[in-house]
Amino acid sequence: MDTLLFWLVPASSVLALAFAWYFHRQMMRQSEGTPQMQKIAAAVRRGAMSYLRQQYKVVGWVFFGLVILFSVMAYGFGLQNPWVPVAFLTGGFFSGLSGFLGMKTATQASARTANAARQSLNGGLRIAFRSGAVMGLVVVGLGLLDISFWYLLLDAVVPADALTPTHKLCIITTTMLTFGMGASTQALFARVGGGIYTKAADVGADLVGKVEAGIPEDDPRNPATIADNVGDNVGDVAGMGADLYESYCGSILATAALGAAAFIHSGDTLMQYKAVIAPMLIAAVGILLSVLGIFAVRTRENATMKDLLRALSFGTNLSSVLIVLATFLIMWMLQLDNWMWISCSVVVGLLVGIVIGRSTEYYTSQSYKPTRRLSESGQTGPATVIISGIGLGMLSTAVPVVAVIVGIIASYLFASGFDFANVGLGLYGIGIAAVGMLSTLGITLATDAYGPIADNAGGNAEMSGLGSDVRRRTDALDSLGNTTAATGKGFAIGSAALTGLALLASYVEEIRIGLTRLGTTEINVGGTTVPLQDATFFDFMHHYDVTLMNPKVLSGMFIGSMMAFLFCGLTMNAVGRAAAHMVDEVRRQFREIKGILTGETEPDYARCVSISTKGAQREMVVPSLIAIVAPILTGIVFGVPGVLGLLIGGLSSGFVLAIFMANSGGAWDNAKKYVEEGNFGGKGSEVHKATVVGDTVGDPFKDTSGPSLNILIKLMSMVAIVMAGLTVAWSVF
């Protein structure tokens, strides 16, 4: 029965890909509209694909270097599992493929959404949302397909007599974690590179176009407008797709590894197997219910922002309620030890995700007081807008942090049988809570990817001169997209906190395997010798003296905390430099190309696209490589205690900083939108100019640095896990 249940995992992944193909085909049957609309959409598609080709070339060289390193460690020194180099490559490939397919769909959907909006708001919403669903279903489909493939392959090749019977699944699950590093590496490059691209274009378009020239957003007279639309796709679609692919896979793999570790000393291989496949089954059922939720999303003409939010929330909430019921059914069918309370841990994860999403919505949507007050602060100039936005972002961290704390404690206690000493099952509960949070990713990501599609549809409508009614509908869809995007980022960051904790625990298990490869059979715990295969989580903590009084742990914590700020500083400055080139170019064109502002001459869009592409390629390498190098160097200098400190420091500071930056940026963006709706003087007023400046500051906050931090947290954990063999073999201290 349990073996049969496992086959639900690959079956669900295939079904997800089938529905993704169905929604894509439905979208492609719709008209792209007028010849001008088709021309603009084609220009955006060309720019987006050109950028991705360049990005994959750079990332390809990084992967080539890392594969050589892993191969030397695996085949030369025997410090790694020989499957690691291959697993690393497949993780990176599928992460990149998720982003590519999602972006290809998004660039094809924007003009079709604008054209549908000529007839009705619901028509535009339907195309944009279901096109976003292609991204969601591709991510979960490819993710589970990759996990299923690697599980079946390793189950066939790993010998059953590895140490003890229960060690086989531990070896399988920790090996599978290494393809998560490939996914995280690809995701970080996609997020950072795409974020730099889109914000360089956006800042240039806003500062020179809106503030200096006084022309509307997405006006065809603005040379940076095509680059801006391209950026929405490479940053918020391709980047987000790769990001959530690695979040999704990371949470499932980390939980599976913790499930194997929880029963390593029991000798009960059947119960261990059930704990390993449980997160996969929850994710599989989540796919089926996400599809159901996608079909439930619809709205009416003249819908308000709250109506549109309610329409999307209905689909998401329906999937969430059904996954709760399905989780209890799955756990009951598996008859996992303490199945009732472990199911409650999954529910905890879902609730934490909902709380973070609602908190983000409250602080970033113009339907609520915080963002409206932020708009009001524009009456006294851009300085007060910036001050108020930073304050709002700082305040907004409280609810998500408290929610995550409650989620950690509750999920730990439920799974452990309310026994803090039962570390194995307690940590498994935290991991499975992260799986619960991401179980409805198919529809959650659909609401996120919907945002840039709606944004591009608005740009196409403006550039094609479709009229005020169409623009009103696309603006409504775009404003909704800003909120859903902010909610999606909050969701991704929240899952990173729980997944990061699960990966931290998985690192300790990888230490056991690393010591085994070195031929170590026992460890010293407080003067007592303990066989390696019998050592518990606490035994490893005592052996390596992982306490707050250990200077190696403290040093690692400070380095981890610094990493979050260093990374943000590098990415913010990268956006600033790339944006400066864009500002200079837009000013040059306005100055030198006569007739642009009168509409007699078409700007040189291609030049701006080229500037953003080159800027992003040049600037994304250093921040991304630092995230890979930091855990390796920390391990070489401070050993295992230093790495654990690094991961703790990076997780705690990175999580809070990411929430702050994402919410500040989202609030600044929607504060501008609220003014553009006709409040406080509307477009062209001094308040509008002040909020545009605030939005410009917020752009790299919410679309570059903030959302990249959750990948940083997990990538450092993944690198630490992959390099555990080197860390236990040798360190300076």
Side-chain angles (χ1 to χ4, degrees):
M1 178 64 179
D2 300 322
T3 307
L4 286 174
L5 278 175
F6 171 79
W7 289 102
L8 180 63
V9 179
S12 295
S13 68
V14 172
L15 186 68
L17 295 173
F19 270 106
W21 173 79
Y22 169 73
F23 288 138
H24 181 269
R25 196 174 72 160
Q26 269 196 328
M27 178 268 295
M28 291 297 292
R29 286 176 175 171
Q30 306 301 313
S31 170
E32 276 198 298
T34 65
Q36 178 66 9
M37 293 171 73
Q38 293 174 31
K39 178 185 174 184
I40 293 164
V44 172
R45 258 193 310 272
R46 279 195 305 273
M49 292 304 167
S50 173
Y51 170 77
L52 271 195
R53 281 194 295 271
Q54 292 300 317
Q55 177 180 284
Y56 290 154
K57 284 179 185 176
V58 174
V59 176
W61 282 108
V62 174
F63 268 70
F64 179 72
L66 288 171
V67 167
I68 290 175
L69 173 64
F70 297 152
S71 299
V72 170
M73 289 178 62
Y75 309 125
F77 299 105
L79 296 174
Q80 275 181 347
N81 189 300
W83 289 100
V84 165
V86 185
F88 173 74
L89 280 175
T90 63
F93 174 77
F94 280 109
S95 178
L97 183 62
S98 299
F100 173 80
L101 293 175
M103 194 193 72
K104 193 172 178 65
T105 302
T107 55
Q108 290 167 332
S110 56
R112 290 174 168 86
T113 299
N115 190 55
R118 295 167 75 185
Q119 276 74 50
S120 72
L121 184 65
N122 188 57
L125 175 67
R126 186 185 177 93
I127 290 177
F129 181 72
R130 292 197 175 180
S131 300
V134 173
M135 164 71 89
L137 294 172
V138 162
V139 164
V140 296
L142 290 178
L144 274 190
L145 193 65
D146 203 8
I147 289 170
S148 306
F149 167 77
W150 274 106
Y151 179 81
L152 292 169
L153 176 65
L154 292 170
D155 185 50
V157 299
V158 174
D161 60 349
L163 294 179
T164 65
T166 50
H167 273 78
K168 177 178 177 176
L169 275 174
C170 287
I171 293 170
I172 291 173
T173 52
T174 50
T175 304
M176 288 169 69
L177 274 173
T178 59
F179 95 69
M181 181 187 166
S184 295
T185 304
Q186 173 68 256
L188 191 61
F189 275 97
R191 255 304 186 194
V192 172
I196 293 170
Y197 184 110
T198 184
K199 293 307 106 182
D202 205 359
V203 169
D206 282 357
L207 281 183
V208 186
K210 287 185 184 177
V211 177
E212 294 181 9
I215 58 178
E217 186 172 14
D218 299 317
D219 193 295
R221 294 170 293 175
N222 194 326
T225 192
I226 292 291
D228 187 11
N229 283 313
V230 170
D232 289 335
N233 290 288
V234 300
D236 289 339
V237 180
M240 176 59 83
D243 176 358
L244 284 172
Y245 175 90
E246 67 92 25
S247 293
Y248 185 70
C249 292
S251 66
I252 296 169
L253 293 171
T255 307
L258 290 173
F263 292 93
I264 193 171
H265 304 300
S266 68
D268 189 346
T269 53
L270 180 59
M271 196 58 64
Q272 188 186 38
Y273 172 74
K274 291 176 178 179
V276 167
I277 68 167
M280 302 180 194
L281 288 171
I282 291 168
V285 173
I287 287 177
L288 306 177
L289 300 177
S290 290
V291 171
L292 184 64
I294 290 164
F295 279 106
V297 174
R298 53 178 49 90
T299 191
R300 58 182 175 80
E301 191 61 32
N302 299 318
T304 64
M305 176 61 70
K306 284 191 175 180
D307 292 332
L308 290 168
L309 280 170
R310 197 177 296 117
L312 292 189
S313 296
F314 177 76
T316 307
N317 293 340
L318 177 65
S319 299
S320 298
V321 170
L322 292 175
I323 195 67
V324 169
L325 300 174
T327 296
F328 281 92
L329 179 63
I330 290 167
M331 292 301 187
W332 173 77
M333 291 176 71
L334 285 174
Q335 286 298 299
L336 190 64
D337 282 352
N338 197 27
W339 68 267
M340 175 71 76
W341 292 109
I342 291 175
S343 301
C344 291
S345 293
V346 177
V347 176
V348 167
L350 270 168
L351 290 173
V352 170
I354 291 168
V355 169
I356 291 175
R358 292 290 173 269
S359 169
T360 304
E361 182 184 317
Y362 175 74
Y363 280 104
T364 60
S365 172
Q366 64 262 50
S367 300
Y368 300 99
K369 285 182 181 178
T371 298
R372 291 187 175 187
R373 286 173 181 162
L374 184 58
S375 299
E376 188 178 355
S377 68
Q379 293 174 322
T380 48
T384 48
V385 171
I386 293 167
I387 292 168
S388 299
I390 290 172
L392 182 152
M394 288 178 174
L395 288 171
S396 73
T397 62
V399 173
V401 168
V402 171
V404 166
I405 291 169
V406 172
I408 289 169
I409 299 297
S411 58
Y412 185 102
L413 287 175
F414 282 146
S416 67
F418 299 91
D419 181 8
F420 273 110
N422 189 355
V423 178
L425 276 176
L427 291 173
Y428 181 71
I430 294 174
I432 211 160
V435 174
M437 189 183 289
L438 292 170
S439 58
T440 55
L441 187 63
I443 188 169
T444 306
L445 187 49
T447 65
D448 199 14
Y450 151 89
I453 295 172
D455 193 0
N456 270 215
N460 195 304
E462 180 71 35
M463 296 180 74
S464 304
L466 294 186
S468 58
D469 282 348
V470 179
R471 188 62 187 168
R472 176 181 55 78
R473 291 176 185 137
T474 58
D475 279 350
L477 295 174
D478 183 21
S479 294
L480 174 65
N482 284 332
T483 302
T484 59
T487 304
K489 290 181 181 80
F491 214 75
I493 295 164
S495 70
L498 296 179
T499 303
L501 275 173
L503 289 170
L504 190 64
S506 298
Y507 175 67
V508 176
E509 193 55 38
E510 186 65 36
I511 294 298
R512 185 198 310 269
I513 293 171
L515 289 170
T516 304
R517 288 198 191 96
L518 293 173
T520 305
T521 57
E522 55 191 25
I523 58 174
N524 187 294
V525 181
T528 304
T529 299
V530 178
L532 186 62
Q533 64 188 45
D534 298 328
T536 64
F537 186 89
F538 283 125
D539 289 336
F540 283 106
M541 294 296 103
H542 287 301
H543 175 68
Y544 286 107
D545 189 25
V546 183
T547 66
L548 289 177
M549 294 299 103
N550 186 340
K552 290 184 282 187
V553 176
L554 285 172
S555 299
M557 289 174 69
F558 276 112
I559 295 169
S561 298
M562 176 202 71
M563 279 295 300
F565 287 87
L566 177 64
F567 180 82
C568 286
L570 288 168
T571 50
M572 291 282 287
N573 284 334
V575 170
R577 285 190 293 271
H581 291 301
M582 186 65 73
V583 167
D584 288 342
E585 174 60 21
V586 176
R587 285 172 176 167
R588 183 195 68 78
Q589 291 199 31
F590 280 154
R591 187 174 61 250
E592 297 179 6
I593 304 176
K594 305 301 180 186
I596 287 182
L597 287 173
T598 57
E600 300 169 46
T601 307
E602 188 173 87
D604 186 356
Y605 300 124
R607 175 66 181 157
C608 291
V609 170
S610 175
I611 286 172
S612 266
T613 300
K614 289 177 181 175
Q617 301 301 317
R618 185 173 57 250
E619 299 283 1
M620 74 178 182
V621 176
V622 173
S624 302
L625 287 180
I626 283 176
I628 297 170
V629 171
I632 299 174
L633 289 181
T634 303
I636 290 172
V637 177
F638 297 116
V640 172
V643 172
L644 285 167
L646 172 84
L647 300 182
I648 293 166
L651 176 60
S652 54
S653 63
F655 170 62
V656 180
L657 185 59
I659 292 284
F660 154 63
M661 297 188 84
N663 286 354
S664 281
W668 273 318
D669 195 349
N670 279 334
K672 176 199 69 178
K673 289 281 193 304
Y674 187 64
V675 174
E676 289 175 347
E677 289 170 1
N679 301 289
F680 304 113
K683 291 183 179 180
S685 66
E686 290 303 313
V687 177
H688 182 230
K689 290 179 180 178
T691 54
V692 168
V693 173
D695 179 38
T696 304
V697 174
D699 277 338
F701 270 53
K702 68 179 173 68
D703 289 327
T704 309
S705 301
S708 299
L709 278 169
N710 68 304
I711 309 173
L712 175 76
I713 292 166
K714 287 169 290 186
L715 180 58
M716 288 199 300
S717 299
M718 291 291 188
V719 173
I721 288 170
V722 172
M723 302 303 293
L726 177 63
T727 307
V728 298
W730 186 85
S731 63
V732 175
F733 299 109

